[in-house]
Structures are given as C-alpha cells and as structure tokens.
Amino acid sequence: RIDRYRGYIEYAHNEDSMRFATEATVRMKLQSDGTLYFDQNANAEAIHIDSESASYNAIYATFKYGPAFVQDVSGGYGLNVQRNIAEAGSAPLVEFRDDHGSNTQTTLKVQQDGAGRAIHIDHNANNTALFIDSTATTVPVFRIDTPGTTTGDVIAVTDASSLTTGTIMRLDGSSTDTGIRNLVEIKNTAGAAGNTKGLYVQQSSYGYAMHIDCPTDFNPWYKGLVITGLDENTGSYPLYIQGNSSTIGSGNVKFVVRGDGNVGIGTASPNTKLQVQGATDPMIRLESDESGSKRLDLWVDGGAAIGYIGANQSASQLAFQTTGTERMRIDATGKVSFGPDAADIQIDPASTNSG
C-alpha cells in the first residue's frame, strides 16, 4: 500500500476486491467476479487508450452481452466515435458484422422512446450519406414498418431548397435482368374499409407534379404508364383527375377512366365508351394544323336543346362518306351536293333552281 494522500492500491477483504485510489478516492475497483468499476468525477476521459497498432484492435472483447452505454448526465453523448485523419481508403469508422449466415437476429437496433430522432445523419461531404449494398434476392433491401403511425409521414424528404440541378430522390434500375421486376412498388392493402392513397403527389409550385420521360427508341417493351389488375366494374377508377379539392369525389371532375373501360370528361359516371359533359354547351373539337388550322366541332346547346356539328372557319366545308366515298357535302355558302363526286345533285338554298 502506498501513501494514502498520493494514491494507493489495496485489497479490500470485506468486499473481496482490488481497489485503486488517487488522492484518497477509489477510482477503479476490480471485483472478485471480474467486474472492473471506474469512478470518474473530473472533466476528463475516464479511460484513455492510445494505440499505435496497425493490424490489431485497441480494444477486443468476447462476451454474450456487449457493452452498455447509459447516459445519465445531460448535455453530452451516449457514445461518440470520431476519426481525426484524412486517410484515403480507410476502413469504416464503425462496423457491425454478423458472420453467422443462419442467424436471424437484428445486427443493429435503434430504439427511441422519447421525442427525438432515432437516427440523425448530418452529412457534409460530396458523397452518399447512406449506402446499402445488399445481396438479398427475395426480401426487401429497405423496409419500414409503422403500425402505430396515424397522422405522420412514413418517409419525408424535405428542405431541398438549395437543390438546383440534382434529384431529391432517384431510383436507378441499372440491372440488365430481363425478368419482370418493379423498380418501385407501392402497395395499399387497406381493402374496402380503407380510404388511403397508394401514391399522393402534391405540386405547390411551378413545375411538373409527375413527369414520365420514356426513351426516344420507344418499342413495345417500353410503357410510359401501365395500370393493371383492376375490377372491371363501374365502382373502380384506374385514372381519376379532379380539380379544387384533394379529397376524391368532392372536387370538379376533369377526366376519369372507369374500370369498365368507359372514359368520362367532366363526369365520373360515363354511360358510354366516351362521354363529355359540361355545365354549359360541352364541345368536342377535331383540329388540323394544316392550311390554317381547319376544325370540326361537335357540341350541344343545352338551353336550346339542339345538337350541332360545325365546321366553323373560313372556306370550310362539311362532307359525309360511306365505304370511303363521299356522298354528301355542305360548302361554306350552304350549298348541298350529293353523289360520289359531290356534284351529281346540288341544292342551293340561295337559288330557286336546283338539280
């Protein structure tokens, strides 16, 4: 035993332990069961290991249960791991490895029971913040289960105001696998009782809410948008576009494709393969860019209860064909001609003679 006021080492019979003290205070204690106890009250490291080993770990331990770090002093860290060298090709700063292929337990689990973030990645380098290299073939590489989430977001990508030319989220399927696979799959299994959206895109600024850019060498294998597997009944909508509200069915219906194949413009209940409906005088227009944008209009005057077919532009004519042959024509002056050459019989409403 050394001078008590300078420090001492002693064996404590009453507790069967070795005690190491400085300035009359026990700082480290080795108990008979092998437990090593540190009591650090100063503003310095409790344990400081300075290792220059090039191929061995500074600390190596084998155990059933690993280290437990409990933070009971506010303002600090539970665990702080730093790298202070700028060495190219360095090993990972922290590595968790499970070498047993038959194990099913989790390698890393983060449990947050408070109000803070479970994981916070503060990334300041021009490289990938999170990189996952997986050889999984039948299970998801990245999976999120949120059975308790009711009003929050499962995934939120925000604060991208400084992004000018990059992409907020990119999914790159660069594999040459020719099998059927999905780069992105959004599955909603809520059933009839659910009222959730499989995909919700909100565009609140200038730009595109959704942009599908297909390759220029478009071949039968390239599809811009494919919707399959829907019930072929009047209650399902593969495509539903409305205005004024984000709640389905409460806004002005713009365009729908119903499960039975009927298409509605201005109505969610098309009774024919194509139904165009408007509050006042709905119109369908066919227009050509040739020779001054010639057009043909089909519309209904709801007030007068009259249906119209019109070719309303200068020097316009309206012709009718059967079996590829013109049978009747109305020219811009109102003259009506009948026959294969549209001149066999003519009716001129401005003349008393016709024939």
Side-chain angles (χ1 to χ4, degrees), residues 98-104:
D98 189 341
D99 288 333
H100 295 278
S102 61
N103 285 351
T104 58

Side-chain angles (χ1 to χ4, degrees), residues 3-35:
D3 187 344
R4 171 180 299 274
Y5 296 100
R6 292 182 178 275
Y8 63 86
I9 301 173
E10 68 176 6
Y11 177 74
H13 292 276
N14 60 335
E15 60 183 29
D16 194 17
S17 66
M18 290 293 297
R19 298 191 297 187
F20 303 80
T22 61
E23 297 182 354
T25 302
V26 175
R27 301 302 185 184
M28 183 174 70
K29 184 166 54 177
L30 178 60
Q31 299 180 164
S32 60
D33 60 359
T35 301

Side-chain angles (χ1 to χ4, degrees), residues 22-23 36 44 63 107 115 118 121 170 180 189 195 287 297 330 343:
T22 61
E23 297 182 354
L36 187 60
F63 39 70
T107 301
I121 301 177
R170 186 181 69 184
I180 298 176
T189 58
N195 192 26
E287 186 168 350
D297 295 332
I330 305 174

Side-chain angles (χ1 to χ4, degrees), residues 124-204:
N124 298 312
N126 187 23
N127 208 322
T128 305
L130 178 63
F131 180 82
I132 300 176
D133 187 359
S134 174
T135 58
T137 57
T138 59
V139 296
V141 174
F142 187 76
R143 174 176 174 175
I144 300 176
D145 290 334
T146 58
T149 301
T150 56
T151 59
D153 300 316
V154 176
I155 298 178
V157 182
T158 60
D159 195 16
S161 58
S162 61
L163 187 66
T164 56
T165 59
T167 304
I168 295 178
M169 180 179 292
R170 186 181 69 184
L171 302 172
D172 187 0
S174 58
S175 173
T176 57
D177 183 12
T178 58
I180 298 176
R181 63 192 184 98
N182 302 317
L183 185 58
V184 179
E185 180 176 353
I186 301 174
K187 184 181 294 185
N188 187 353
T189 58
N195 192 26
T196 58
K197 305 171 182 67
L199 175 63
Y200 177 74
V201 180
Q202 181 176 354
Q203 174 69 13
S204 302

